Amino acid sequence: MTTALPLALRHELFRRFQAANPHPATELNYTSPFELLIAVMLSAQATDISVNKATQQLFPVANTPEKILALGEVRLIDYIKTIGLYRSKAKHIIGTCERLLDLHQGQVPRQREALQQLPGVGRKTANVVLNCAFGEPTIAVDTHIFRVARRLGLSNGKTPDAVEQDLLKAVPAEYRQDCHHWIILHGRYTCKARTPECWRCPVRDLCRYKPKTTDPGVTT
């Protein structure tokens, strides 16, 4: 269990993340709230790189609910079959497009409850859409954020929902809009699951993770 990070150190931690990356953003490619919604739905248990490769082919052909429904589930699968769980994702995407047209005039709603009523859209997906498409200070907790928040001492939560609630309290308000981007990128490229690269971590001295790693390229 990590030790809670004091407020002053939380400010310093996010100040450093901001200094290193003033304008963080999702690595998913999109040009509209609808494209973002579809990309995030596809990203479950898949890499952003694999999703971008698929949507690079899909979106020029179908990037609205009407166009995806016209494409149909079978042809949609042809575009996304390189992504894990593609059959269930295609089914959810078709259902989501139908619901968007039936209930929201084809537009992506900016209310959490409405988003989570779409097939295949859970709290994490809703949070990403609210944050990235609509500028809401929500925090989407994926495996990277779950791990890194606990290592840094920002949460001891045992579930993604618990970690989200801890972060909403722990992250200073001025950093809340961008915090989940900073944490996820930190987890993806530095604070990795099996072997965190502590020797090049910009917040190493603030981190509450005890078994710090050393640079394997440096001999002592």
Side-chain angles (χ1 to χ4, degrees), residues 55-76:
T55 57
Q56 184 179 15
Q57 304 301 317
L58 172 64
F59 288 159
V61 176
N63 66 343
T64 66
E66 295 91 343
K67 289 179 179 179
I68 285 186
L69 289 179
L71 195 65
E73 187 172 335
V74 173
R75 291 178 63 200
L76 173 60

Side-chain angles (χ1 to χ4, degrees), residues 84-204:
L85 306 174
Y86 65 89
R87 292 190 185 278
S88 62
K89 290 176 181 178
K91 186 179 184 67
H92 287 149
I93 288 171
I94 292 295
T96 284
C97 289
E98 291 173 339
R99 189 171 288 252
L100 288 175
L101 288 171
D102 289 344
L103 301 179
H104 304 288
Q105 296 78 49
Q107 301 300 307
V108 176
R110 63 183 303 167
Q111 297 79 32
R112 181 192 305 281
E113 295 75 13
L115 283 167
Q116 290 187 234
Q117 288 173 5
L118 299 172
V121 177
R123 186 175 181 88
K124 185 188 79 171
T125 297
N127 277 338
V128 173
V129 172
L130 289 171
N131 181 274
C132 298
F134 300 122
E136 301 288 341
T138 55
I139 300 175
V141 177
D142 69 349
T143 55
H144 293 300
I145 293 179
F146 184 83
R147 175 182 72 254
V148 174
R150 290 168 55 85
R151 284 179 176 175
L152 289 175
L154 297 171
S155 173
N156 282 320
K158 293 179 171 56
T159 66
D161 285 353
V163 170
E164 178 187 342
Q165 295 308 311
D166 285 347
L167 288 174
L168 288 171
K169 298 173 184 175
V171 178
E174 62 267 36
Y175 299 115
R176 209 166 290 151
Q177 173 66 36
D178 293 322
C179 74
H180 94 264
H181 292 301
W182 287 320
I183 298 174
I184 193 173
L185 292 171
H186 188 60
R188 186 172 291 167
Y189 298 113
T190 303
C191 194
K192 301 173 182 178
R194 292 188 178 180
T195 308
E197 298 179 5
C198 302
W199 64 90
R200 64 182 191 87
C201 174
V203 295
R204 175 190 174 102

Side-chain angles (χ1 to χ4, degrees), residues 18-92:
Q18 185 182 60
N21 187 2
H23 305 291
T26 177
E27 293 185 322
L28 292 170
N29 295 332
Y30 70 97
T31 62
S32 70
F34 178 75
E35 287 187 0
L36 175 64
L37 173 62
I38 298 304
V40 178
M41 292 175 70
L42 291 172
S43 71
Q45 299 183 45
T47 65
D48 288 358
I49 292 174
S50 68
V51 172
N52 288 337
K53 286 181 179 178
T55 57
Q56 184 179 15
Q57 304 301 317
L58 172 64
F59 288 159
V61 176
N63 66 343
T64 66
E66 295 91 343
K67 289 179 179 179
I68 285 186
L69 289 179
L71 195 65
E73 187 172 335
V74 173
R75 291 178 63 200
L76 173 60
I77 284 174
D78 286 339
Y79 286 96
I80 67 172
K81 61 186 178 184
T82 56
I83 299 173
L85 306 174
Y86 65 89
R87 292 190 185 278
S88 62
K89 290 176 181 178
K91 186 179 184 67
H92 287 149

